[in-house]
Amino acid sequence: MKEFSSTVTKSILTGIQPSGVITLGNYIGAIKQMVRMQEEFKSTIFIADMHAITVPQDPNVLHENIRSLVALYIACGIDPEKNIIFIQSENEYHANISWLLECNTPFGELSRMTQFKDKSSKNVNFYAGLFTYPVLMAADILAYDVDYVPVGIDQKQHVELARNIAERFNKKFGETFKIPDVYITKEGTKIMDLVTPDKKMSKSSDNPKGVIRILDDIEDIRKKIMGATTDSECVVCFDPENKPGISNLINICVAITGQSIDQIEEMFQGKNYGEFKKYVADVVVEEISGIQKRYREIINSSELDSILDENIKIVRDIARNKFMMMKEKMGLYK
Ligand code: AMP
Ligand code: TRP
């Protein structure tokens, strides 16, 4: 079993969809928060590959992305000693539990999910999994009796549905599930596109020069920062409205080095943008080089296999117990 520090009592669980390589925006806005949370909570993190297939995927790309994402999270500071990290589809009890929950979830309630309405209206040829997706998410959560589910605001409705499903099940069949609370993760510092700094840095951007991906070539990263859009003033000062480019670079520095905005402004008083950009590039390159080095060490290593093998045993046992309990309560043969 994992040894959690004795001061850590509450538990969290979250799933991450394996959708391509992560960006500097994901790292600063989301992963760094998770790294902080692992000090406070017993934390379980899984790659939600079964959620990913609710929309069409290229099997080869998906397969690569799953392992790569586990390695990247570890390389970014998610500590396998402090977190249970696993791959959703390796624990078949999620799907088993999901079916039992589906048979206890009103069709009408699922029809009201805004993410389903959005996605199904964009492509009329959608599959049933897109509709039942929130029940699988409820299974992910309820299998583990966790205290909190940290998610972005777009997933809040799904966690509320999980709570409703759990409450109804408990009432009908007797106490079975802990009712988890949703924990809305505040958006961390929003990192903007380097070329068009009025837009968020996004995986799906069509101009790669504006987006830093964590596995980009180090020299390309440097070039992208040196080529970032700024303004004609030549004063390093934080003013997101009038100087979005420079302010974005300051935010990146603050997030990585822990310096304050004032400290950075002071450091570059009277200096030109070239010098400032070089500093930002050095800081980012140093951080990302460390991540890439760790990534390369583990991506094909047996260390990664052992972490996954050890964790899947732990979570399969927990989810299997929950499944057996549900079966019994529902009167299925056992
Ligand atoms: P996405 O890449 O949109 O699936 O987002 C995954 C997580 O990364 C979410 O928690 C986002 O809030 C966060 N995130 C994505 N892009 C950025 C960005 N440019 N700046 C800060 N956080 C981001
Ligand atoms: N649906 C979530 C998303 O798209 C991912 C997810 C799947 C999840 N299962 C979960 C998040 C359980 C929290 C808990 O981001």
Side-chain angles (χ1 to χ4, degrees), residues 96-273:
N96 290 348
I97 293 173
S98 181
W99 177 252
L100 303 191
L101 295 179
E102 269 179 50
C103 297
N104 284 286
T105 305
F107 186 89
E109 216 166 291
L110 276 185
S111 315
R112 285 196 290 276
M113 294 295 115
T114 51
Q115 189 180 73
F116 168 72
K117 287 198 270 188
D118 265 10
K119 288 196 176 173
S120 59
S121 66
K122 282 186 194 132
N123 179 4
V124 288
N125 296 316
F126 59 87
Y127 295 94
L130 191 67
F131 184 68
T132 55
Y133 163 124
V135 190
L136 178 61
M137 183 160 160
D140 300 336
I141 297 167
L142 300 177
Y144 300 100
D145 289 329
V146 291
D147 294 299
Y148 302 107
V149 182
V151 285
I153 192 81
D154 62 313
Q155 296 294 318
K156 180 168 178 251
Q157 197 187 27
H158 292 161
V159 181
E160 282 163 356
L161 178 83
R163 287 169 54 93
N164 290 344
I165 292 175
E167 275 164 4
R168 212 171 15 237
F169 195 102
N170 284 349
K171 214 159 164 196
K172 189 163 167 196
F173 298 106
E175 203 57 28
T176 311
F177 301 118
K178 181 164 190 165
I179 313 293
D181 279 318
V182 59
Y183 180 122
I184 299 298
T185 46
K186 282 195 256 45
E187 192 162 11
T189 312
K190 201 199 267 184
I191 303 304
M192 311 306 278
D193 189 280
L194 295 176
V195 177
T196 43
D198 52 340
K199 264 189 3 206
K200 186 169 139 171
M201 183 182 284
S202 157
K203 285 172 192 154
S204 51
S205 159
D206 34 62
N207 186 353
K209 290 196 173 128
V211 181
I212 293 179
R213 291 168 194 270
I214 298 293
L215 294 179
D216 276 351
D217 177 81
I218 289 295
E219 277 320 303
D220 286 347
I221 294 178
R222 198 177 279 287
K223 277 190 208 139
K224 286 181 193 184
I225 294 173
M226 295 310 291
T229 303
T230 51
D231 52 70
S232 53
E233 231 180 45
C234 214
V235 184
V236 177
C237 102
F238 189 75
D239 177 357
E241 205 154 294
N242 300 309
K243 298 163 75 70
I246 286 294
S247 304
N248 188 36
L249 295 178
I250 294 178
N251 269 334
I252 292 174
C253 273
V254 167
I256 293 181
T257 64
Q259 290 168 293
S260 67
I261 294 176
D262 286 352
Q263 277 171 326
I264 292 169
E265 286 176 348
E266 206 169 297
M267 257 173 92
F268 289 94
Q269 226 172 36
K271 307 224 165 108
N272 63 32
Y273 283 172

Side-chain angles (χ1 to χ4, degrees), residues 91 93-94 97 143-144 315-323:
N91 186 351
Y93 292 106
H94 288 226
I97 293 173
Y144 300 100
V315 294
R316 278 185 88 241
D317 273 354
I318 301 173
R320 180 175 183 279
N321 280 341
K322 191 62 89 182
F323 176 61

